[in-house]
């Protein structure tokens, strides 16, 4: 699991460390940095995969960085690479250069992940050096360049954005193009692809589980996706659950006919079963869901994630999700990002926390006066 993320000159954060837990909820107002933290983890993961592709097995003592183009950066679409840097400044100015820096010297963007396994703690830092509007060079920090922790290599990071609409038709896309659409916030455009992936898995238990949960939540039955011999993926459902082997006269409807709450839950389930992950980044999984369904889906996610030893990192505005999470598992983005309870404070506030909900604490943080 990831225990902390530290960034330098990444987007809105010049220097910031985020302390995490085995399951963490990112809570705070709009534009406070919740999604930025998810993006930092995604960019770090992309850097690691690209480094391994280009430098695996290299014995060079001083390895140069590997190129990462703007088009490679599917995790977050950018008009130009300088937008990764705080205030878009890729070099130091005279007024902000420190004692060890000179004006026009490059500001090296860094993203560090700390983690913990049964074998102990690990950490890995990637450095990003600006080259042009289309290109940056990446490499691990000097002391780690030939010693990538195996625990870091074993991480499987999956990002689940909120549902954003679904098209009338959807053809089959390869994984890089799916990742590009996800980075552009068009997750609805690959919903049928994800359902087809789950259905085509050799182990049919995931498809059975997805169908069962859809029936429990919405009282409707998913039909197997069809693609062979068609120009598009056909995904349909029955608006009810037949009592026998037939369809009991129920019409076959395209999934685009359903509501946005159905699409949001189907997207979450499809990602969960199509993309096995050790780190699951979820951006507003409560979008389009009424409050009862928010809690139901959130409880299911936590339960299954625990069974699969998958770490959830959830960005949300939902009071339901926040109230249903222990304060020690909330990373507050009011003012500076911080865990609501530091370990040294826990003994002092345990009794008070039993009388306050997590939402009460967040509201108190945002207030100027507390009675």
């Amino acid at each position: 699991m990831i225990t902390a993320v530290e960034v330098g000159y990444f987007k809105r954060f010049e220097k910031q460390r985020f302390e995490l837990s085995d399951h963490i909820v990112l809570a705070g107002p709009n534009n406070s940095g919740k999604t930025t933290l998810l993006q930092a983890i995604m960019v770090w993961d992309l850097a690691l995969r690209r480094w391994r592709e280009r430098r695996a097995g290299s014995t060079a003592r001083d390895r140069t960085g590997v190129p990462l183009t703007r088009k490679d950066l599917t995790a977050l679409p950018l008009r130009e690479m300088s937008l990764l840097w705080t205030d878009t400044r890729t070099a130091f100015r005279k007024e902000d250069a420190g004692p060890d820096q000179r004006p026009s010297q490059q500001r090296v963007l860094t993203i560090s992940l700390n983690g913990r396994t049964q074998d102990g703690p690990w950490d890995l830092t990637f450095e990003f050096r600006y080259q042009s509007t289309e290109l940056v060079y990446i490499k691990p920090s000097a002391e780690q360049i030939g010693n990538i922790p195996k625990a870091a290599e074993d991480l499987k990071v999956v990002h689940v954005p909120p549902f954003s609409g679904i098209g009338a038709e959807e053809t089959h896309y390869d994984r890089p193009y799916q990742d590009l659409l996800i980075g552009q916030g068009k997750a609805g455009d690959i919903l049928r692809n994800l359902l087809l992936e789950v259905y085509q898995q050799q182990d049919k238990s995931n498809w059975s589980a997805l169908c069962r949960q859809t029936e429990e939540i919405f009282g409707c039955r998913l039909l197997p996706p069809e693609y062979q011999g068609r120009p598009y993926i056909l995904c349909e459902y029955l608006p009810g659950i037949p009592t026998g082997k037939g369809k009991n006269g129920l019409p076959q409807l395209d999934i685009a006919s359903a509501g946005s709450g159905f699409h949001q839950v189907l997207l979450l389930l499809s990602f969960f079963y199509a993309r096995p992950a050790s780190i699951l980044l979820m951006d507003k999984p409560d979008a389009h869901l009424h409050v009862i369904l928010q809690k139901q889906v959130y409880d299911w996610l936590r339960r299954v994630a625990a069974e699969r030893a998958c770490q959830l990192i959830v960005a949300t505005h939902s009071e339901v999700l926040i109230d249903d999470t222990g304060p020690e598992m909330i990373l507050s983005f009011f003012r500076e990002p911080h865990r609501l309870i530091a370990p040294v404070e826990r003994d002092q506030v345990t009794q008070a926390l039993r009388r306050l909900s997590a939402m009460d604490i967040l509201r108190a943080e945002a207030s100027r006066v507390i009675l």
Side-chain angles (χ1 to χ4, degrees):
M1 62 171 282
I2 302 173
T3 55
V5 178
E6 192 165 350
V7 298
Y9 307 124
F10 182 73
K11 297 191 73 175
R12 67 180 293 121
F13 299 110
E14 278 207 7
K15 298 287 181 185
Q16 187 64 54
R17 182 176 175 85
F18 306 90
E19 300 288 346
L20 307 181
S21 65
D22 57 346
H23 164 61
I24 193 82
V25 169
L26 316 180
N30 288 314
N31 204 33
S32 59
K34 302 185 298 297
T35 299
T36 299
L37 172 55
L38 302 184
Q39 290 172 341
I41 298 171
M42 291 186 286
V43 172
W44 178 93
D45 180 62
L46 174 61
L48 173 59
R49 287 188 281 114
R50 184 51 52 89
W51 177 260
R52 292 179 62 192
E53 290 169 7
R54 299 292 184 91
R55 290 290 183 265
S58 172
T59 57
R61 178 173 296 179
D62 296 319
R63 300 177 193 167
T64 58
V66 301
L68 184 69
T69 69
R70 185 172 62 87
K71 291 184 178 180
D72 294 330
L73 204 64
T74 56
L76 62 164
L78 299 172
R79 189 183 70 249
E80 57 182 69
M81 280 297 199
S82 64
L83 292 170
L84 276 179
W85 270 256
T86 306
D87 300 328
T88 70
R89 297 204 310 273
T90 60
F92 290 103
R93 299 180 302 184
K94 183 177 181 180
E95 56 269 28
D96 56 20
D100 299 326
Q101 297 142 352
R102 63 182 186 279
S104 77
Q105 179 183 344
Q106 274 198 340
R107 296 168 95 192
V108 179
L109 187 156
T110 59
I111 304 176
S112 304
L113 262 63
N114 301 122
R116 186 179 66 249
T117 66
Q118 293 179 343
D119 298 325
W122 60 268
D123 65 271
L124 179 61
T125 298
F126 269 95
E127 301 174 348
F128 298 74
R129 287 175 167 79
Y130 181 81
Q131 180 66 25
S132 69
T133 58
E134 297 292 321
L135 183 68
V136 298
Y137 281 93
I138 59 168
K139 67 177 181 178
S141 61
E143 60 272 16
Q144 296 174 309
I145 203 165
N147 188 28
I148 303 294
K150 185 179 185 305
E153 293 182 337
D154 290 342
L155 285 183
K156 291 183 180 179
V157 178
V158 173
H159 172 227
V160 185
F163 177 77
S164 57
I166 186 170
E169 294 182 357
E170 183 181 323
T171 189
H172 187 267
Y173 303 129
D174 59 19
R175 182 62 67 85
Y177 190 67
Q178 289 184 32
D179 291 341
L180 176 64
L181 292 173
I182 293 169
Q184 293 175 346
K186 300 176 181 177
D189 288 355
I190 68 163
L191 176 54
R192 295 181 179 92
N193 275 266
L194 292 171
L195 289 169
L196 184 64
E197 282 183 37
V198 179
Y199 180 70
Q200 291 179 339
Q201 289 174 357
Q202 218 167 12
D203 181 2
K204 297 302 181 184
S205 63
N206 283 339
W207 175 253
S208 298
L210 189 155
C211 292
R212 184 174 61 255
Q213 285 145 6
T214 305
E215 290 184 8
E216 290 174 359
I217 296 172
F218 294 104
C220 61
R221 174 161 293 175
L222 280 177
L223 299 176
E226 299 177 15
Y227 183 60
Q228 192 70 28
R230 297 175 179 273
Y232 56 86
I233 302 170
L234 181 68
C235 288
E236 296 181 320
Y237 72 100
L238 303 178
I241 303 174
T243 54
K245 292 184 178 180
K247 297 172 184 172
N248 290 161
L250 293 169
Q252 295 183 202
L253 303 177
D254 190 88
I255 60 170
S257 304
S260 56
F262 179 87
H263 295 146
Q264 174 70 10
V265 172
L266 203 56
L267 185 71
L268 295 176
L269 295 173
S270 300
F271 263 107
F272 203 90
Y273 290 118
R275 308 281 178 88
S278 51
I279 309 294
L280 193 59
L281 310 176
M282 312 198 75
D283 201 351
K284 303 173 187 67
D286 50 278
H288 311 294
L289 306 183
H290 62 71
V291 291
I292 296 174
L293 192 51
Q294 286 178 26
K295 185 177 186 326
Q296 186 177 356
V297 171
Y298 185 47
D299 289 344
W300 172 82
L301 282 170
R302 287 188 295 184
R303 185 182 70 253
V304 181
E307 292 171 357
R308 296 186 172 202
C310 174
Q311 182 180 14
L312 289 180
I313 303 178
V314 180
T316 184
H317 295 142
S318 168
E319 293 190 21
V320 174
L321 269 62
I322 295 170
D323 277 334
D324 203 37
T325 304
E328 71 281 0
M329 302 176 77
I330 295 175
L331 181 64
S332 171
F333 279 74
F334 284 99
R335 296 191 284 272
E336 291 297 316
H338 61 285
R339 293 279 290 278
L340 285 186
I341 307 174
V344 296
E345 300 171 314
R346 190 164 302 169
D347 292 341
Q348 300 173 358
V349 297
T350 298
Q351 293 302 317
L353 288 175
R354 288 176 181 168
R355 300 179 178 87
L356 294 173
S357 71
M359 200 64 208
D360 293 331
I361 298 167
L362 288 177
R363 290 194 182 107
E365 282 196 322
S367 304
R368 299 180 67 181
V369 177
I370 301 173
L371 178 60

